[in-house]
């Protein structure tokens, strides 16, 4: 096996790349930008609630690259020659080249993630997808990609990877492999997150799903080709997949304590962004540099979970801004904001309740926005659009082919999915210092 | 600073200005284009089959509808497509619950203009804005380049490309009243 590079993996056992044929993948893994993903946790702050959820985006990205290869190995009805049209011309590549292209896209799909990505993106207004694309177009990675030892991909690989990630690639079903309701990203993170959180009842037969997928025209989408599953053979494993999403969503991704802390991090980042020019001391100059220039990729690459948490630890002890100090202390000393309200399908608080809370903080000469958090599933980065019912765009379905050859949406063949609906849950948290008083006020 | 309530307030202000928005797709594209023009909508959009789409935005609208502030009515069109129409619900207490977002109110003119454009043309305009957001060249000299991208992305809408392109150029140049 000297010609193979082997990674041990708790989900797939062994992830194997050929040192010659997959050299581009191995070269990408060795880059600074990719190695940095070892310092960014896949689940942000879930380790606060699930202590073993410390897996990182590095292992997830390897897993996605591996699954993308398996997907292509099993996908039926893939033509011998795949036509690609873009602004530079028309091309034809074979299945093997497409497989490598999708594996690389899978490997790099998260390379632009920052620490505590969701909060980071909300505050800095930079999307990780755009940073990923910037990194792919950067000198080091672009050179590796375009020097690939594959005649069909040489000179084109970086451009096509960008197109897959920004979804402008002309082969639409290929985009679906990386990003859709049945994509390799989702499959890997569900399996990996469940494993590391210790959620044993979350499991689905991904191998069986991959054995029953094909490229087919989807009449409901105007005849465009997409990924379709054999209904007779695949429906039950798909149901397990959807149920996995449901359970992970309810148990892990929207866990009230984790979400409470994630909102605290968002408050911290927001406060830092507000006061960065006002004498706020940064121990890590790259954090400050990036906040002052969110196009500064070199500084961005120096940011990871450890940098941010370390900085928060310092501010929790020494900070001229008392509000920031208090928020940081809540995080470091594990003093979460406490939930005062959780409702389903109802508004967070009545106007009257909102007034009472507002007056409470005015009397204390404090700004309510620092001490009250609102949360709902729409803020969750792992929101499951599939189960949100009406929030899903019609075209974002999982498609199945029935025995009679008809291609239909999943809900039409699965009674279980018809019955599943995520509740719309709204939560309000307050700083634990004010919990008892506010609770009392709301009761009067 | 990201403020949860503001996200709902912006949607309320948008509907106040627009009066009525026919079609969920249209509402999505209007918000996306406003976001691209610098108006402070914070929802994350990703590229879907009908162009830029935000699940967050849709959930906000659905929540506002559930809470009785927004009216969502649906009807089946001739092509079997379900068309949702959105407006502020008469008699609801939205004025007390949500403040006007001045940045949205001040840009009423462009909102009404976007609302008057047919949905499929707006879809294409939003897609061109998406390409611009991802640093593809979309200035006036690159019409052919953009046409080729649209040919790959949305070949079914090529017949309205010229119309969408003119409107994109016009909208791109408009200066909005923004809060810095």
């Amino acid at each position: 096996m000297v010609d193979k590079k082997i990674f041990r993996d708790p989900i797939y056992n062994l992830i194997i790349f050929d040192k010659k044929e997959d050299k581009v993948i191995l070269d990408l893994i060795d880059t600074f930008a990719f190695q940095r993903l070892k310092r960014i946790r896949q689940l942000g702050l879930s380790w606060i609630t699930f202590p073993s959820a410390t897996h990182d985006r590095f292992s997830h990205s390897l897993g996605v690259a591996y699954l993308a290869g398996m997907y292509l190995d099993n996908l039926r009805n893939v033509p011998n020659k795949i036509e690609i049209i873009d602004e530079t011309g028309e091309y034809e590549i074979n299945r093997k080249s497409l497989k490598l292209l999708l594996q690389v896209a899978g490997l790099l799909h998260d390379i632009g993630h920052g620490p505590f990505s969701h909060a980071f993106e909300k505050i800095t207004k930079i999307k990780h997808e755009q940073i990923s694309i910037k990194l792919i177009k950067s000198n080091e990675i672009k050179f590796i990609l375009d020097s690939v030892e594959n005649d069909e991909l040489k000179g084109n690989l970086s451009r096509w990877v960008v197109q897959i990630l920004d979804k402008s690639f002309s082969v639409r079903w290929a985009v679906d492999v990386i990003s859709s309701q049945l994509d390799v990203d989702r499959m890997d993170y569900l399996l990996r997150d469940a494993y590391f959180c210790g959620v044993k009842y979350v499991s689905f037969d991904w191998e069986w799903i991959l054995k029953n997928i094909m490229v087919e025209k989807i009449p409901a989408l105007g005849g465009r080709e997409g990924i379709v599953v054999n209904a007779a053979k695949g429906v039950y494993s798909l149901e397990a997949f959807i149920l996995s999403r449901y359970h992970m969503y309810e148990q892990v991704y929207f866990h009230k304590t984790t979400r409470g802390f994630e909102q605290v991090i968002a408050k911290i980042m927001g406060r830092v962004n507000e006061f960065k020019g006002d004498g706020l001391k940064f121990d890590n100059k790259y954090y400050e540099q990036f906040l002052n220039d969110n196009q500064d990729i070199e500084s961005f690459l120096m940011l990871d979970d450890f940098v941010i948490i370390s900085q928060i630890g310092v501010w929790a002890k020494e900070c001229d801004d008392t509000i920031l100090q208090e928020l940081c202390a809540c995080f470091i000393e594990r003093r979460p904001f406490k939930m005062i309200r959780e409702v389903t399908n109802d508004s967070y608080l009545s106007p009257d309740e909102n007034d009472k809370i507002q007056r409470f903080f005015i009397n204390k000469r404090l700004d309510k926005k620092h001490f009250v958090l609102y949360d709902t599933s729409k803020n969750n980065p792992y929101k499951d659009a599939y189960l949100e019912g009406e929030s899903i765009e019609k075209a974002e379905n999982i498609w199945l082919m029935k025995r009679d050859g008809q291609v239909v949406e999943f809900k039409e063949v699965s009674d279980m999915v018809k019955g599943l609906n995520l509740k719309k849950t709204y939560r309000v948290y307050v700083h634990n210092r004010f919990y008892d008083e506010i609770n009392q006020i709301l009761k009067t | 600073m990201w403020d949860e309530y503001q996200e709902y307030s912006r949607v309320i202000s948008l509907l106040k200005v627009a009066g009525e928005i026919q079609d969920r797709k249209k509402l999505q594209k209007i918000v996306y284009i406003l976001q691209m023009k610098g108006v402070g909508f914070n929802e994350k959009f990703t590229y879907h089959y009908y162009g830029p789409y935000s699940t967050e935005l849709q959930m906000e609208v659905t929540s506002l509808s559930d809470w009785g502030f927004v009216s969502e009515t649906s009807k089946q069109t001739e092509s079997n497509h379900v068309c949702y129409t959105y407006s502020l619900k008469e008699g609801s207490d939205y004025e007390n619950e949500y403040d006007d977002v001045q940045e949205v109110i001040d840009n009423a003119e462009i909102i009404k203009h976007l609302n008057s454009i047919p949905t499929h043309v707006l879809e294409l305009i939003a897609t061109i804005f998406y390409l611009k957001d991802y640093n593809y060249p979309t200035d006036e000299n690159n019409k052919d380049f953009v046409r080729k991208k649209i040919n790959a992305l949305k070949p079914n809408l090529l017949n309205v490309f010229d119309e969408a392109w003119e409107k994109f150029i016009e909208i791109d140049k408009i200066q909005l009243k923004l809060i810095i």
Side-chain angles (χ1 to χ4, degrees):
Chain A
M1 294 279 251
V2 291
D3 53 343
K4 307 287 182 197
K5 173 75 179 178
I6 304 171
F7 295 91
R8 286 195 182 277
D9 183 78
I11 311 302
Y12 312 116
N13 190 32
L14 299 176
I15 292 178
I16 302 175
F17 294 113
D18 187 283
K19 284 183 180 173
K20 191 165 181 280
E21 289 187 357
D22 301 325
K23 183 177 180 302
V24 65
I25 292 176
L26 299 175
D27 288 345
L28 288 168
I29 288 170
D30 282 343
T31 59
F32 178 83
F34 193 82
Q35 289 287 323
R36 167 185 168 270
L37 295 180
K38 284 180 179 170
R39 301 189 295 278
I40 302 204
R41 290 203 169 112
Q42 176 68 18
L43 283 183
L45 290 171
S46 286
W47 50 267
I48 288 180
T49 328
F50 299 90
S52 296
T54 54
H55 56 298
D56 51 50
R57 291 199 182 271
F58 181 96
S59 59
H60 165 63
S61 299
L62 277 187
V64 173
Y66 169 76
L67 268 189
M70 296 293 288
Y71 211 106
L72 254 288
D73 283 343
N74 287 281
L75 190 59
R76 290 181 220 167
N77 300 347
V78 174
N80 291 331
K81 285 289 179 190
I82 296 109
E83 287 179 9
I84 299 171
I85 303 170
D86 68 17
E87 58 277 13
T88 64
E90 295 177 14
Y91 305 83
E92 271 188 351
I93 64 172
N94 61 29
R95 186 180 189 133
K96 195 173 160 192
S97 298
L98 181 66
K99 175 180 168 180
L100 184 58
L101 167 58
L102 290 177
Q103 285 185 289
V104 169
L107 188 78
L108 298 179
H109 81 288
D110 271 352
I111 200 168
H113 263 293
F116 312 110
S117 196
H118 185 64
F120 201 73
E121 288 185 32
K122 278 276 187 187
I123 301 303
T124 61
K125 298 194 194 293
I126 287 273
K127 296 178 203 162
H128 76 268
E129 294 90 344
Q130 288 172 318
I131 299 188
S132 295
I133 285 166
K134 237 183 178 157
L135 286 169
I136 289 164
K137 289 180 179 174
S138 68
N139 288 340
E140 185 189 15
I141 292 182
K142 187 174 188 316
F143 178 76
I144 292 171
L145 290 172
D146 288 342
S147 310
V148 61
E149 285 165 23
N150 176 307
D151 289 339
E152 290 178 338
L153 297 179
K154 195 187 278 298
N156 297 315
L157 184 56
S158 65
R159 192 172 73 256
W160 288 339
V161 168
V162 166
Q163 287 172 13
I164 285 173
L165 297 185
D166 72 23
K167 302 191 190 179
S168 67
F169 193 59
S170 62
V171 185
R172 307 307 299 160
W173 60 260
V175 176
D176 289 348
V177 174
I178 301 296
S179 178
S180 68
Q181 290 296 326
L182 192 59
D183 63 34
V184 289
D185 181 18
R186 202 182 299 265
M187 282 190 195
D188 183 85
Y189 73 60
L190 279 172
L191 291 166
R192 197 168 297 275
D193 294 346
Y195 177 88
F196 282 100
C197 290
V199 185
K200 285 191 173 167
Y201 50 83
V202 169
S203 151
F204 59 92
D205 193 344
W206 63 272
E207 287 169 291
W208 190 248
I209 292 174
L210 295 192
K211 283 282 179 239
N212 289 288
I213 48 173
M214 61 196 113
V215 179
E216 279 293 341
K217 288 194 197 308
I218 301 171
L221 300 183
R224 95 129 161 104
E225 286 184 326
I227 305 295
V228 174
V229 182
N230 178 325
K233 291 181 184 287
V235 67
Y236 300 114
S237 45
L238 275 183
E239 283 182 347
F241 172 66
I242 294 297
L243 206 51
S244 295
R245 286 163 66 164
Y246 179 79
H247 283 144
M248 282 303 287
Y249 187 90
E250 292 281 345
Q251 296 290 305
V252 177
Y253 303 141
F254 201 49
H255 191 284
K256 65 177 176 62
T257 306
T258 307
R259 290 296 302 150
F261 274 112
E262 282 171 356
Q263 293 276 29
V264 171
I265 286 281
K267 292 277 184 202
I268 290 171
M269 288 189 172
R271 187 76 181 168
V272 169
N273 209 36
E274 258 185 271
F275 285 95
K276 58 183 186 278
D278 285 358
L280 184 62
K281 276 191 232 146
F282 286 79
D283 279 17
N284 188 300
K285 69 174 186 179
Y286 298 106
Y287 188 9
E288 187 176 17
Q289 273 172 207
F290 182 73
L291 289 179
N292 288 326
D293 177 7
N294 66 12
Q295 303 300 311
D296 179 358
I297 291 299
E298 297 305 317
S299 292
F300 173 80
L301 286 176
M302 297 303 291
L303 303 181
D304 55 47
D305 288 7
F306 300 102
V307 165
I308 302 297
I309 291 179
S310 165
Q311 183 65 79
I312 290 173
V314 171
W315 280 329
K317 290 289 181 200
E318 313 157 8
C319 187
D320 292 337
D321 180 52
T322 50
I323 290 171
L324 179 60
Q325 183 171 23
E326 176 56 26
L327 289 171
C328 291
C330 280
F331 180 79
I332 289 291
E333 295 166 18
R334 205 189 182 284
R335 288 189 279 115
F337 277 39
K338 287 170 104 167
M339 196 169 71
I340 56 161
R341 179 67 58 86
E342 181 179 62
V343 290
T344 303
N345 299 331
D346 201 351
S347 184
Y348 294 96
L349 296 163
S350 68
D352 183 50
E353 286 171 327
N354 261 325
D355 274 342
K356 284 179 181 173
I357 294 179
Q358 182 75 359
R359 270 185 270 120
F360 172 84
F361 282 104
I362 288 172
N363 288 341
K364 291 211 178 276
R365 296 180 200 281
L366 293 170
D367 191 337
K368 173 190 134 192
K369 74 181 182 195
H370 300 300
F371 302 102
V372 179
L373 305 175
Y374 301 90
D375 195 29
T376 178
S377 48
K378 80 172 178 71
N379 294 327
N380 193 319
Y382 287 91
K383 63 177 75 55
D384 202 310
Y386 203 85
L387 295 169
E388 291 295 350
E390 295 183 0
S391 63
I392 190 176
E393 193 187 46
K394 182 76 179 145
E396 288 290 300
N397 290 314
I398 295 177
W399 301 96
L400 279 79
M401 179 178 275
K402 289 160 60 170
R403 282 188 207 277
D404 60 7
Q406 225 190 330
V407 174
V408 296
E409 200 267 303
F410 190 19
K411 282 184 185 169
E412 289 189 38
V413 294
S414 168
D415 289 329
M416 188 215 84
V417 168
K418 271 188 217 148
L420 266 184
N421 251 310
L422 278 181
K423 305 177 294 241
K424 288 196 214 89
T425 305
Y426 304 91
R427 294 174 178 149
V428 186
Y429 301 77
V430 295
H431 191 291
N432 59 6
R433 198 199 315 169
F434 305 117
Y435 175 78
D436 289 334
E437 288 178 87
I438 291 179
N439 226 2
Q440 200 52 45
I441 288 171
L442 292 182
K443 281 180 186 164
T444 57
Chain B
M1 176 89 115
W2 168 34
D3 182 336
E4 175 69 20
Y5 256 66
Q6 276 269 316
E7 313 218 331
Y8 295 102
S9 295
R10 272 187 279 271
V11 175
I12 294 282
S13 293
L14 173 72
L15 288 172
K16 203 173 184 179
V17 164
E20 181 183 273
I21 297 178
Q22 282 189 4
D23 205 345
R24 185 177 280 183
K25 238 196 287 175
K26 182 173 267 195
L27 188 148
Q28 287 275 341
K29 305 318 172 215
I30 290 174
V31 172
Y32 180 72
I33 293 170
L34 290 174
Q35 190 185 83
M36 289 297 105
K37 295 288 296 170
V39 179
F41 285 94
N42 274 322
E43 293 81 0
K44 181 158 182 177
F45 282 81
T46 48
Y47 191 86
H48 286 212
Y49 180 74
Y50 293 115
Y53 180 84
S54 169
T55 315
E56 287 175 30
L57 175 62
Q58 192 50 47
M59 288 169 74
E60 282 162 17
V61 173
T62 310
S63 294
L64 287 168
S65 170
D66 288 346
W67 297 336
F69 298 116
V70 165
S71 163
E72 181 188 77
T73 55
S74 63
K75 70 171 187 221
Q76 198 103 352
T77 64
E78 280 163 14
S79 52
N80 256 349
H81 166 70
V82 177
C83 182
Y84 293 90
T85 298
Y86 297 96
S87 59
L88 291 175
K89 201 163 195 171
E90 272 184 43
S92 72
D93 205 15
Y94 63 84
E95 302 266 10
N96 261 339
E97 185 73 21
Y98 300 103
D99 296 329
D100 282 347
V101 177
Q102 209 51 45
E103 199 178 50
V104 176
I105 305 292
D106 286 348
N107 289 294
E109 202 179 314
I110 188 174
I111 290 170
K112 287 176 183 164
H113 176 51
L114 293 173
N115 199 18
S116 71
I117 297 172
T119 304
H120 62 296
V121 177
L122 202 63
E123 179 186 332
L124 200 42
I125 296 169
T127 302
I128 301 172
F129 268 106
Y130 176 85
L131 293 174
K132 181 181 178 185
D133 192 34
Y134 278 80
N135 294 316
Y136 287 101
T138 54
D139 56 278
E140 277 174 288
N141 300 323
N142 281 289
K143 184 178 178 181
D144 279 342
F145 171 88
V146 175
R147 188 196 298 271
K148 285 178 186 164
K149 287 298 282 187
I150 297 298
N151 183 37
L153 271 174
K154 289 187 179 296
N156 54 313
L157 290 181
L158 265 184
N159 59 323
V160 295
F161 175 75
D162 287 337
E163 182 187 350
W165 176 254
E166 269 180 40
K167 288 193 157 54
F168 163 77
I169 295 293
E170 170 212 333
I171 294 165
D172 197 30
K173 286 182 181 157
I174 294 173
Q175 298 286 329
L176 298 193
K177 294 170 198 149
L178 300 174
I179 297 169
I180 309 291

